Amino acid sequence: MTLIRFLKDWALPLAMLAGTVLYLPFAYIPSLDGLARYFDSIFDFIFPWFMFLILFVTFCKVDFAQMRPERWHLGIGTFQVVLSAALVGTILWCELSGDNLVLVESVLTCVIGPCAAAAAVVTEKLGGNLTSMTTYTFISNFLTAISVPICFPLINSDWSMGFFRSFVLILYKVCVVLVAPMALAYFVKHYAHRFHRLIISVKDLSFYLWACSLAIVTGTTVKHIFHADAALSFLLLLASAGLVLCIIQFVCGRAIGSKYGAAIDAGQALGQKNTAFAIWIAYTYLHPLSSVGPGCYILWQNIVNSIELWDKRRKEKRKAGSVTMNS
């Protein structure tokens, strides 16, 4: 029971460790290259289904009638837009190039990227408002769909995709990731009651599905870092910039949310990013090395999530101990 409790309490860091350890043999043993490519194709196939299942299970718990914009949504959305504009302005004003440009582009992708679809999973685990968080996830993705086609052509002279085409492409990816599992969850909740009760009866199912997908993402991230064509010192700089930004976004999110009694929700909304999407837009539209930033960011944000979950368990144990003593 102690081992099971340990695995449950530290699911996220253990998942990241598993992803890293499982990838390392493929990085150092050349004879495993063929097997690595085989597993790559498998993971590329199953990862979207993992995300679909995670969101479907999460959305089964959402009260759709209560989904509406809230005041903290405006504060977090404004922060994301203003910081993105400031970074683009820095690139243009200072006429950045080379490593300096890659560094700022790397940070930009972690800012302009939308709130992680799975952020609602951790928010619920921390005691936040699942419905409010789900609502902001849609708002954040729509903001990104508008911001990327506006900002990226300004800093990438090779941009050949028009605004409308970019908007539709990004919006399509958003719909596949968010709308499809939500539509299925809505149907199940209202028309398949027995199946719905079965799903929500499994405690923390979406959280442990997320932990499994995190192991896959971590392994992929480590692979990108190992194969990055850059000096180790510059890779460390990109990783450090991602860490600083991660802390800033979590702290600022909680500060904004605390004014509206939604510190947990807003902290996760601003700090936990859809890094898979950020890596995609970085690799597709900017310098490929800028994808290292969001690749490292996924490690930082899940370390922060692990610390937050540990702190919540610590406070709950302290509170339970206090109640026992008083009784």
Side-chain angles (χ1 to χ4, degrees), residues 45-320:
F45 175 76
I46 67 174
F47 182 73
W49 288 104
F50 255 117
M51 293 307 301
F52 186 96
L53 287 173
I54 291 165
L55 294 177
F56 167 67
V57 173
T58 302
F59 291 154
C60 279
K61 301 177 183 178
V62 170
D63 185 353
F64 293 100
Q66 297 298 317
M67 287 184 64
R68 59 176 63 90
E70 299 186 14
R71 287 184 295 175
W72 71 263
H73 294 167
L74 177 62
I76 297 299
T78 301
F79 184 97
Q80 177 180 325
V81 170
V82 170
L83 186 53
S84 297
L87 290 169
V88 172
T90 300
I91 292 173
L92 298 176
W93 182 264
C94 300
E95 298 181 350
L96 298 180
S97 61
D99 287 350
N100 291 330
L101 176 60
V102 172
L103 177 62
V104 179
E105 284 181 347
S106 177
V107 172
L108 174 63
T109 58
C110 296
V111 174
I112 204 171
C115 170
V121 177
V122 181
T123 300
E124 181 188 25
K125 198 70 172 152
L126 291 171
N129 188 314
L130 177 62
T131 302
S132 179
M133 188 68 202
T134 303
T135 304
Y136 181 75
T137 301
F138 278 87
I139 295 173
S140 174
N141 277 271
F142 189 74
L143 283 176
T144 298
I146 295 175
S147 301
V148 169
I150 293 175
C151 295
F152 281 25
L154 296 174
I155 60 177
N156 183 1
S157 58
D158 296 329
W159 182 278
S160 59
M161 193 178 294
F163 173 83
F164 182 74
R165 185 182 172 192
S166 303
F167 179 80
V168 171
L169 176 61
I170 296 171
L171 203 60
Y172 168 75
K173 288 183 173 288
V174 170
C175 288
V176 170
V177 172
L178 291 175
V179 177
M182 174 168 279
L184 181 59
Y186 183 89
F187 176 83
V188 168
K189 186 171 184 176
H190 291 87
Y191 301 104
H193 302 295
R194 182 177 298 178
F195 184 46
H196 178 256
R197 287 194 296 270
L198 176 63
I199 292 172
I200 63 175
S201 66
V202 182
K203 183 177 173 56
D204 296 329
L205 176 59
S206 57
F207 179 75
Y208 296 119
L209 285 171
W210 168 240
C212 292
S213 68
L214 181 58
I216 298 174
V217 173
T218 303
T220 304
T221 299
V222 173
K223 181 187 73 173
H224 284 308
I225 294 172
F226 265 83
H227 289 84
D229 185 19
L232 177 60
S233 58
F234 186 60
L235 292 177
L236 290 174
L237 179 61
L238 292 175
S240 300
L243 173 59
V244 172
L245 177 66
C246 182
I247 294 172
I248 289 173
Q249 292 196 130
F250 269 101
V251 171
C252 290
R254 280 185 169 263
I256 294 170
S258 63
K259 298 180 180 179
Y260 307 105
I264 294 174
D265 303 13
Q268 296 304 127
L270 189 58
Q272 191 168 346
K273 293 291 186 175
N274 185 340
T275 48
F277 185 87
I279 290 171
W280 172 72
I281 59 175
Y283 204 84
T284 304
Y285 302 124
L286 303 176
H287 192 289
L289 262 183
S290 64
S291 64
V292 174
C296 294
Y297 192 96
I298 192 171
L299 304 179
W300 304 136
Q301 72 180 9
N302 281 288
I303 289 174
V304 172
N305 287 337
S306 299
I307 294 173
E308 288 178 321
L309 291 168
W310 166 81
D311 186 57
K312 182 175 183 291
R313 291 194 302 271
R314 181 180 61 85
K315 290 178 179 178
E316 288 176 345
K317 288 179 180 178
R318 182 183 296 176
K319 183 178 180 181

